[in-house]
Amino acid sequence: DLSGVIAGRPRQVAARIPRPALVFGSGVEAYPQVFRHPGEAEQDGALQPGPLCLAEGLAVNVARLGLKRLREGQGVHPMQLLPRYYRRTEAEEKLLRQS
């Protein structure tokens, strides 16, 4: 699965998320006992709820998370980054509508 989307029962989903990780979405609020581990630091391998201000999948929010990691010395070379597309691009949608 290259999409990064994981679906299933909350504990099954939590078990499949590589750690450490920030987690976002309605499941974090609905199942706090599964996705929140108070007292554990992110570097300890815990799942941590991501800040609500970054929950919307906008490029600017991805950049903010990346900047945080860079400042913490966890940056990677840009050529190692791979995009994950969860839907067709606007150009692909337009092409499909035309055919």
Side-chain angles (χ1 to χ4, degrees):
D1 175 18
L2 298 177
S3 70
V5 175
I6 302 172
R9 295 182 184 270
R11 291 195 191 283
Q12 293 170 333
V13 169
R16 293 182 56 201
I17 299 172
R19 279 140 170 93
L22 292 176
V23 290
F24 297 94
S26 58
V28 176
E29 296 300 320
Y31 299 94
Q33 70 281 11
V34 174
F35 294 103
R36 291 188 180 179
H37 302 281
E40 291 181 341
E42 183 179 329
Q43 53 269 38
D44 292 338
L47 296 177
Q48 296 292 324
L52 291 178
C53 63
L54 300 178
E56 192 173 355
L58 301 174
V60 67
N61 292 337
V62 173
R64 287 180 179 134
L65 289 169
L67 180 60
K68 179 181 181 292
R69 288 189 60 137
L70 185 63
R71 287 180 174 159
E72 293 170 351
Q74 300 175 5
V76 297
H77 191 281
M79 295 307 291
Q80 293 177 309
L81 300 174
L82 297 173
R84 290 187 176 160
Y85 296 104
Y86 299 108
R87 63 180 181 87
R88 291 184 181 104
T89 65
E90 185 176 339
E92 290 171 318
E93 291 288 342
K94 184 177 179 181
L95 184 63
L96 287 173
R97 285 192 300 268
Q98 291 175 351
S99 47

